């Protein structure tokens, strides 16, 4: 059967129709966006803030569940917490939902006075019952971030609203006050509206499914929409107790490619770009209309050395490695200055930050130490790092070169993240190039991870079963007096600096680029956990 | 046998193939070293939390038990749960696929508009100036890295000239149409939202052109080769000697007999476009299947990988089936029986 396929006419007709459609849509777009020869975009509206970043890591905006960078940053705009931090000062906690607090001399029972007059976004009043509900909910749901509260509070019933504006919390044991307050300042401890949450509960999930992409908070913003991997839209909360924010709409646009972010920023279609590379930042430094802010973040890069390894078990070998690395070279050449030289395990600006940097590249000294340890001709060792990641790949290669000069032959082992972390947790790596971001701004987080093998974190992964260090960590954990605590951390950091299985390479400095009309944006060293976008406003475009 | 019998038989084969692929991928992902839960939760997560989540997902059970669980769930249409998004995989894919479908189909339309005429003209004017020019253009198409082309077009048309919008599917100030098919263009037409329609279309232009141009190169080359092959045959000379009108010769005697390889390549190209172009999606912030699958593979997100692979296998199988059926209509000599 012969079916004639009319090739000349039909496709041509379709093509012409499509061409016409394209031209119409193009002119529509031009009509919408062009005004007086200048592309007027959303970003230049004074009441709207557009942020470009990669939002693909967000899983849930339920405060009791949220733990990824994006989720936590967004949750912080939607909810209030009992106490809060005011970046860039991460050493002191400030009142928020709680206007004052006190604790018993043994440090185990805390009383919080709840501020009166706070309303949730829908108008419901925020009282002690809401606080009790929200914190108990975290423990009852027991999701990933629940450990922040579980480490201090044994059971939900230990959190009690004794009257409309008082909450009493009983702790398992006495802990440093700053530490407990730090856990309460994290978004996990945010206060949700019990009425709204329970109204949307299903299957005993305490409203978690609904809260994944809806908000029920008292914070400066309300979640209007979350289109996964596309955008998050926030609207100002008119009932916010500190007053309605200047920016009425915040649009967080998913722009995973830094090159695209840069185009959007320069064009003025976004106000803030989070995620540009250091090279792009250098280029933007001289661009008019764009300003850069740099700030250290609570992230340390380090080399972990497995103390069980026959070479690394000798402290002289570990010290030799510490003297073989070219720290300045790494920061200067690979990171282009985008890092702070830090060699201790508590980052700046936390309590306990130790600025000592005694190690520097000294090939002779390193060789001497190796000879003393019995390895005048060096040895072979493996260095694992996440495959295809930058700058880890370049740093690993440089370490290989630096150590080669003192006789240590490094075998590079790039691995997929899933494999590397599994092996690391199994204590089966020899040396590893890794990073540690502090979960919250209290030194205990880093101290425990690096110093206390008993909790099976970094010290344990590197098989450094050091009781002196572990005991110091636990002592500082319980220490009620701030000055004493600080002294303990000095002891700890010095001890780890000398004896520990880590070579801390640097602390990360991050950059944010924004249009010059953006004011009031204060970056947060804790990865945006305490970012307060309600303080942002835009100077009218005319003034630029 | 009728076409219907043939189709039913093919569907059975298809299900068998998809099951086979899913099984292979299932075992490969579990056997490869690495722990997805640890990778996705990150190095900071306490060990007991990692263990707890592993238990929740059933990854601590023996592999054969996991496989039986997997099979019983597949039968119910449950593709498992993604560790990265904590949602059912079928939900994730259902959310991402329309964006990819819209982009892929638009790209295919562009590829056909450019590629087929280019191939035909090239073949008919073999070795003349136009032929060389078109072949060079198509050579660029197959050689150019998609990432580079995408960024360059974005740079020129969005950044420098401001003629086309930036990344994303829709501008934020446009009211988004309700989700009926998931395709913004169709949905906005169905609900009469003209602003959204044109805005979505304008956002489609650059990424669809990038993918369309690259695909058109393959289509043009195959078209050209196939038509040249047909031109060598006697029946064309015969048709000309009979005095048939030129366009009748073109359509019925030149293009139609050449269609088999052309339809084949179009099928392959469409399949490739539908599995998601991750680089294009990254540059243009397009929330499609490609970036979803790539992320799943980087983090060894077991169920997402297996579910995603199954969907891709299904897409290719369906396209192959359609292509095979089209053969019957194109070439009367082909009969299935």
């Amino acid at each position: 059967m012969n079916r004639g396929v009319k090739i000349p006419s039909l496709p041509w007709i379709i093509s012409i129709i499509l061409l016409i459609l394209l031209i119409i849509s193009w002119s529509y777009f031009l009509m919408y966006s062009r005004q007086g020869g200048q592309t007027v975009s959303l970003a230049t509206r004074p009441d709207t803030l557009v942020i470009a970043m990669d939002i693909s890591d967000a899983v849930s905006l339920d405060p009791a569940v949220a733990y990824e960078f994006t989720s936590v940053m967004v949750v912080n705009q939607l909810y209030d917490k009992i106490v809060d931090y005011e970046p860039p000062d991460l050493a002191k906690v400030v009142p928020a939902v709680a206007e004052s607090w006190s604790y018993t001399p043994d440090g185990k029972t805390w009383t919080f006075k709840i501020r009166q007059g706070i309303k949730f976004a829908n108008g419901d009043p925020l009282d002690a019952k809401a606080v009790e509900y929200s914190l108990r909910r975290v423990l009852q749901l027991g999701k990933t971030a629940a450990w922040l509260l579980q480490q201090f509070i044994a059971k939900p019933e230990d959190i009690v609203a004794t009257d409309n504006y008082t909450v009493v919390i009983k702790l398992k044991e006495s802990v440093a006050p700053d530490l407990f307050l730090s856990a309460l300042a994290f978004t996990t401890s945010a206060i949700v509206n019990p009425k709204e949450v329970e109204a949307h509960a299903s299957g005993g999930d305490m409203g978690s499914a609904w809260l994944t992409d809806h908000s029920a908070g008292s914070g400066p913003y309300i979640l209007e929409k979350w289109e996964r991997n596309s955008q998050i839209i926030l609207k100002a909360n008119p009932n916010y107790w500190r007053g309605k924010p200047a920016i009425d709409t915040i649009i967080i646009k998913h722009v995973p490619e830094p090159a695209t972010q840069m185009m959007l920023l320069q064009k003025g279609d976004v106000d803030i770009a989070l995620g540009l590379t250091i090279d792009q930042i250098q280029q933007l430094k001289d661009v008019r209309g764009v300003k850069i802010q740099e700030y250290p973040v609570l992230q340390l890069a380090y080399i972990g050395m497995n103390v069980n390894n026959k070479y690394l078990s000798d402290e002289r070998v570990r010290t030799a490695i510490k003297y073989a690395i070219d720290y300045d070279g790494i920061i200067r050449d690979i990171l282009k200055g985008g890092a702070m030289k830090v060699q201790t395990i508590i980052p700046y600006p936390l309590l306990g930050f130790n600025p000592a940097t005694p190690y520097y590249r000294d090939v002779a000294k390193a060789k001497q130490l190796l000879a003393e340890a019995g390895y005048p001709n060096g040895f072979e060792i493996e260095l694992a790092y996440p495959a295809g990641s930058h700058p880890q790949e370049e740093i690993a290669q440089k370490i290989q070169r630096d150590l080669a000069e003192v006789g240590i032959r490094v075998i590079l082992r790039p691995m997929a993240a899933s494999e590397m972390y599994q092996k690391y947790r199994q204590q089966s790596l020899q040396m590893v190039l890794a990073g540690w971001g502090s979960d919250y701004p209290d030194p205990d987080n880093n101290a425990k991870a690096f110093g206390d093998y008993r909790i099976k974190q970094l010290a344990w992964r590197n098989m450094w079963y050091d009781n002196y260090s572990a005991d110091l960590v636990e002592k500082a954990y319980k220490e009620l007096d701030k000055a004493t605590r600080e002294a303990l951390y000095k002891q700890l950091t010095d001890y780890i600096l000398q004896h520990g299985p880590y070579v801390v390479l640097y602390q990360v400095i991050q950059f944010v680029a924004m249009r010059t009309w953006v004011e009031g944006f204060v970056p947060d060293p804790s990865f945006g956990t305490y970012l307060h976008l309600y303080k942002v406003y835009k100077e009218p475009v005319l003034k630029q | 046998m009728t076409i219907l019998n043939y189709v039913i038989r093919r569907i059975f084969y298809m299900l068998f193939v998809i099951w086979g692929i899913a099984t292979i991928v299932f075992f490969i992902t579990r056997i490869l070293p690495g722990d997805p839960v640890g990778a996705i939760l990150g190095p900071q997560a306490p060990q007991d939390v990692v263990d707890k989540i592993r238990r929740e997902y059933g990854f601590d059970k023996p592999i054969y038990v996991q496989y039986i669980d997997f099979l019983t769930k597949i039968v119910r249409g449950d593709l498992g749960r993604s560790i990265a998004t904590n949602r059912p995989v079928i939900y994730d894919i259902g959310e991402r696929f329309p964006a990819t479908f819209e982009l892929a189909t638009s790209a295919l339309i562009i590829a056909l508009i450019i590629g087929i005429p280019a191939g035909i003209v090239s073949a008919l004017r073999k070795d003349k100036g136009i032929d060389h020019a078109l072949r060079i253009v198509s050579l660029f198409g197959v050689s150019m890295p998609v990432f580079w082309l995408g960024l360059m077009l974005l740079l020129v048309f969005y950044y420098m000239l401001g003629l086309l919008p930036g990344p994303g599917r829709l501008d934020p100030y446009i009211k988004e149409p309700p989700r009926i098919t998931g395709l913004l263009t169709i949905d906005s037409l169905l609900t009469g939202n003209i602003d959204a329609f044109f805005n979505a279309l304008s956002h489609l232009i650059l990424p669809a052109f990038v993918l369309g141009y690259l695909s058109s190169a393959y289509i043009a080359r195959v078209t050209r080769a196939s038509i040249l092959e047909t031109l060598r045959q006697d029946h064309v000379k015969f048709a000309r000697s009979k005095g048939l009108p030129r366009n009748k010769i073109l359509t019925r005697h030149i293009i139609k007999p050449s269609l088999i390889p052309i339809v084949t390549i179009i099928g392959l190209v469409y399949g490739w476009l539908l599995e998601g172009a991750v680089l294009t999606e990254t540059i243009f912030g397009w929330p499609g299947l490609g970036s979803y699958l790539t992320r799943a593979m980087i983090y060894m997100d077991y169920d997402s990988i297996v579910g995603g692979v199954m969907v891709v296998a299904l897409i290719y199988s369906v396209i192959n089936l359609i292509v095979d059926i089209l053969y019957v209509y194109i070439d009367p000599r082909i009969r299935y029986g």
Side-chain angles (χ1 to χ4, degrees):
Chain A
M1 188 168 36
N2 212 353
R3 289 175 188 262
V5 180
K6 300 189 187 67
I7 290 196
S9 26
L10 186 61
W12 285 128
I13 292 175
I14 296 178
S15 320
I16 290 174
I17 292 177
L18 280 170
L19 208 58
I20 293 174
L21 265 180
L22 245 49
I23 294 175
I24 295 178
S25 80
W26 182 7
S27 39
Y28 228 92
F29 166 73
L30 291 181
M31 247 162 44
Y32 249 111
S33 63
R34 289 207 154 201
Q35 264 182 36
Q38 184 88 13
T39 312
V40 170
S41 67
L42 199 62
T44 60
R45 295 191 194 174
D47 63 350
T48 304
L49 187 72
V50 184
I51 302 176
M53 60 186 282
D54 184 336
I55 65 170
S56 61
D57 61 330
V59 177
S60 167
L61 295 177
D62 176 347
V65 180
Y67 204 50
E68 308 73 41
F69 294 126
T70 304
S71 341
V72 166
M73 186 187 105
V74 172
V75 166
N76 202 45
Q77 316 311 318
L78 307 170
Y79 298 88
D80 284 315
K81 304 152 296 185
I82 292 183
V83 291
D84 204 349
Y85 282 105
E86 278 300 338
D89 180 8
L90 294 182
K92 208 178 63 162
V93 139
V94 301
V97 165
E99 53 182 14
S100 66
W101 52 87
S102 60
Y103 51 90
T104 52
D106 66 355
K108 292 212 300 205
T109 308
W110 284 73
T111 307
F112 293 89
K113 285 273 172 247
I114 306 301
R115 193 182 299 269
Q116 300 194 20
I118 301 181
K119 289 224 235 342
F120 286 107
N122 68 352
D124 292 341
L126 190 158
D127 58 10
K129 273 285 174 212
V131 175
E132 178 195 273
Y133 174 82
S134 308
L135 296 179
R136 284 190 181 182
R137 181 172 181 270
V138 173
L139 296 172
Q140 284 157 344
L141 283 177
K143 297 289 180 183
T144 315
W147 68 271
L148 266 160
L149 290 181
Q150 277 165 348
Q151 55 180 333
F152 307 121
I153 306 173
K155 49 193 194 305
E157 294 73 31
D158 288 335
I159 304 164
V160 181
T162 55
D163 66 45
N164 265 349
Y165 294 102
T166 311
V167 176
V168 175
I169 304 181
K170 266 208 275 288
L171 303 183
K172 284 197 278 208
E173 49 183 356
S174 67
V175 292
D178 282 344
L179 175 53
F180 177 54
L181 288 170
S182 189
L184 290 180
F186 197 80
T187 51
T188 309
S189 314
I191 313 302
V192 305
N193 185 343
K195 262 177 43 193
E196 245 198 299
V197 167
E198 282 298 320
H200 292 97
S202 86
D205 72 343
M206 297 185 83
S208 194
W210 181 79
L211 269 189
T212 300
D213 43 20
H214 295 83
S215 68
S218 57
Y221 288 93
I222 303 167
L223 178 66
E224 169 153 301
K225 195 188 336 184
W226 174 21
E227 285 161 20
R228 284 173 178 73
N229 292 85
S230 180
Q231 58 184 353
I232 303 174
I233 302 187
L234 308 179
K235 282 269 188 241
N237 171 11
N239 290 331
Y240 186 49
W241 58 279
R242 286 193 175 112
K244 184 164 183 242
I247 299 286
D248 182 72
T249 309
I250 298 181
I251 299 174
I252 303 175
K253 216 172 146 68
H254 177 56
V255 188
E257 170 57 44
T260 314
Q261 275 187 25
M262 191 155 146
M263 278 187 233
L264 286 165
L265 183 72
Q266 286 183 273
K267 201 93 170 111
D269 281 341
V270 308
D271 298 303
I272 301 178
L274 297 172
L276 297 179
T277 66
I278 181 96
D279 292 313
Q280 290 166 322
I281 297 286
Q282 310 273 33
Q283 283 178 281
L284 287 170
K285 279 201 165 114
D286 304 316
V287 170
R288 255 187 34 164
V290 174
K291 60 183 180 188
I292 313 282
Q293 282 188 26
E294 70 173 66
Y295 56 106
V297 285
L298 304 181
Q299 171 107 10
L300 297 171
Y302 69 95
I303 301 173
M305 299 181 279
N306 193 321
V307 167
N308 204 37
N309 176 275
K310 77 180 222 237
Y311 309 109
L312 301 172
S313 53
D314 188 327
E315 194 177 295
R316 287 170 295 193
V317 171
R318 300 202 296 271
T319 313
I321 292 177
K322 291 176 190 179
Y323 276 110
I325 307 259
D326 177 12
Y327 306 89
D328 292 324
I330 291 176
I331 294 176
R332 187 189 57 233
D333 302 325
I334 300 177
L335 302 171
K336 313 269 173 56
M340 248 172 86
K341 186 153 84 173
V342 169
Q343 293 180 351
T344 50
I345 53 115
I346 296 176
Y348 171 84
L350 300 187
L351 179 83
F353 168 65
N354 186 335
T357 55
Y359 297 112
Y360 55 94
R361 184 162 164 75
D362 189 336
V363 175
K365 186 162 186 166
K367 278 192 176 155
Q368 185 199 356
L369 282 163
L370 283 177
E372 275 174 39
Y375 306 111
N377 299 319
F379 52 85
E380 246 179 32
I381 196 97
E382 293 181 354
L383 175 66
Y385 66 94
S389 61
H390 305 275
Q392 284 87 335
E393 195 165 70
E394 289 80 11
I395 294 178
Q397 287 163 352
K398 179 162 170 47
I399 290 172
Q400 186 184 43
R401 287 195 298 272
D402 290 343
L403 291 185
E405 271 189 61
V406 308
I408 301 177
R409 292 171 294 287
V410 170
I411 303 169
L412 293 179
R413 288 252 180 271
M415 292 180 194
S418 57
E419 190 188 344
M420 188 175 113
Y421 291 125
Q422 187 190 40
K423 289 209 160 83
Y424 197 19
R425 286 173 187 275
Q426 289 166 349
Q427 307 170 306
S428 56
L429 294 177
Q430 294 179 3
M431 292 211 308
V432 59
L433 181 61
W436 181 267
S438 310
D439 289 300
Y440 48 92
D442 186 276
D444 180 70
N445 183 255
N446 279 44
K448 273 225 175 78
F450 284 93
D452 188 354
Y453 70 93
R454 298 174 193 144
I455 61 151
K456 298 208 169 150
Q457 274 285 15
L458 304 180
W460 186 83
R461 293 180 199 171
N462 288 291
M463 302 183 85
W464 191 53
Y465 303 138
D466 188 300
N467 285 312
Y468 176 74
S469 169
D471 290 339
L472 258 183
V473 170
E474 283 168 29
K475 199 154 164 229
Y477 168 81
K478 288 193 195 321
E479 181 51 59
L480 295 176
D481 175 61
K482 192 160 176 167
T484 314
R485 204 172 172 230
E486 195 168 1
L488 286 171
Y489 282 125
K490 171 97 178 43
Q491 257 187 292
L492 177 72
T493 49
D494 281 335
Y495 181 76
I496 296 179
L497 188 60
Q498 200 183 353
H499 304 285
Y502 316 104
V503 185
V504 179
L505 298 173
Y506 57 87
Q507 179 172 347
V508 177
I509 290 182
Q510 251 175 31
F511 300 87
V512 56
M514 64 189 88
R515 303 294 311 200
T516 43
W517 57 62
V518 175
E519 299 285 350
F521 183 87
V522 181
D524 169 36
S526 189
F527 315 106
T529 311
Y530 307 101
L531 192 64
H532 289 130
L533 290 176
Y534 72 84
K535 295 189 168 164
V536 176
Y537 61 97
K538 287 159 84 160
E539 283 294 299
V541 182
L542 298 156
K543 279 202 186 159
Q544 300 302 320
Chain B
M1 114 163 74
T2 65
I3 295 281
L4 189 60
N5 281 353
Y6 176 70
V7 168
I8 291 175
R9 206 158 56 117
R10 283 291 297 266
I11 289 180
F12 274 111
Y13 288 158
M14 188 165 82
L15 292 173
F16 178 71
V17 164
I18 292 175
W19 167 80
I21 291 177
T23 303
I24 294 174
V25 175
F26 180 92
F27 281 102
I28 290 180
T29 52
R30 261 78 172 175
I31 290 171
L32 278 177
D35 170 34
V37 178
I40 290 173
L41 291 182
Q44 331 267 111
Q47 190 61 41
D48 53 328
V49 174
V50 175
D51 291 336
K52 182 175 118 167
I53 306 247
R54 292 193 85 234
R55 274 196 303 275
E56 261 177 38
Y57 278 92
F59 295 148
D60 55 330
K61 298 195 200 136
I63 196 169
Y64 292 101
V65 174
Q66 287 187 45
Y67 184 60
I68 308 280
D69 285 341
F70 165 71
L71 285 180
T72 45
K73 286 203 292 215
I74 293 292
V75 167
R76 286 195 309 240
D78 177 4
L79 289 178
R81 182 169 274 266
S82 162
I83 307 170
T85 64
N86 199 31
R87 295 195 308 171
V89 171
I90 199 136
Y91 209 77
D92 280 344
I93 293 182
E95 198 183 56
R96 307 283 224 141
F97 186 69
T100 294
F101 184 77
E102 197 175 26
L103 182 58
T105 308
S106 314
L108 186 71
I109 293 174
I110 292 178
L112 293 177
I113 292 174
I114 300 176
I116 294 185
I120 296 174
V121 169
S122 231
L124 294 177
R125 308 263 177 275
K126 180 177 184 309
D127 293 334
K128 303 254 175 55
I130 185 76
D131 180 26
H132 290 300
L134 286 171
R135 290 175 73 193
I136 289 174
V137 170
S138 89
L139 184 63
F140 272 129
V142 297
S143 329
M144 202 169 298
V146 63
F147 191 89
W148 183 86
L149 181 65
L151 274 178
M152 279 302 115
L153 289 181
L154 200 59
L155 186 69
V156 170
F157 286 96
Y158 162 68
Y159 182 64
M160 289 184 192
L161 301 177
L163 293 175
L164 285 171
R169 293 180 78 193
L170 201 68
D171 282 330
Y173 53 83
I174 299 276
K175 189 159 173 1
E176 193 178 321
R179 193 186 166 90
I180 307 172
T181 62
L183 283 83
L184 290 178
T185 43
I186 304 291
D187 286 347
S188 46
L189 278 180
L190 289 176
T191 52
N193 187 342
I194 298 299
D195 288 340
F197 175 71
F198 283 114
N199 195 271
L201 200 62
S202 65
H203 278 265
L204 260 176
I205 295 176
L206 274 181
F209 181 76
V210 170
L211 291 173
Y213 171 52
L214 265 68
S215 313
S216 73
Y218 294 94
I219 294 176
R221 286 155 80 83
V222 168
T223 304
R224 182 180 182 276
S226 181
I227 291 188
L228 285 177
E229 182 64 34
T230 306
L231 286 174
R232 273 211 290 270
Q233 296 182 8
D234 292 333
H235 71 270
V236 178
K237 226 186 272 186
F238 182 59
R240 287 198 179 120
S241 71
K242 274 208 289 186
L244 287 177
R246 271 194 53 180
N247 71 319
K248 264 271 168 22
I249 300 182
L250 190 61
T251 53
R252 206 176 277 188
H253 299 277
I254 297 177
I255 292 175
K256 186 145 179 267
S258 319
L259 278 180
I260 300 267
I262 297 175
V263 166
T264 311
I265 189 83
I266 292 175
L268 285 175
V269 160
Y270 198 30
W272 174 74
L273 287 170
L274 282 171
E275 70 174 327
V278 57
L279 295 174
T280 309
E281 286 176 22
T282 304
I283 297 169
F284 291 98
W286 204 265
L289 201 57
S291 41
Y292 178 73
L293 282 182
T294 306
R295 200 154 198 269
M297 290 189 193
I298 292 176
Y299 286 104
M300 289 291 273
D301 195 348
Y302 292 153
D303 288 341
S304 295
I305 295 177
V306 176
V309 167
M310 284 175 70
V311 167
V312 172
L314 180 66
I315 290 171
Y316 273 104
S317 305
V318 168
I319 290 179
N320 275 339
L321 180 57
I322 294 176
V323 166
D324 283 341
I325 293 174
L326 282 177
Y327 285 166
V328 171
Y329 289 96
I330 295 172
D331 189 342
R333 296 172 295 178
I334 295 180
R335 281 277 176 272
Y336 296 119

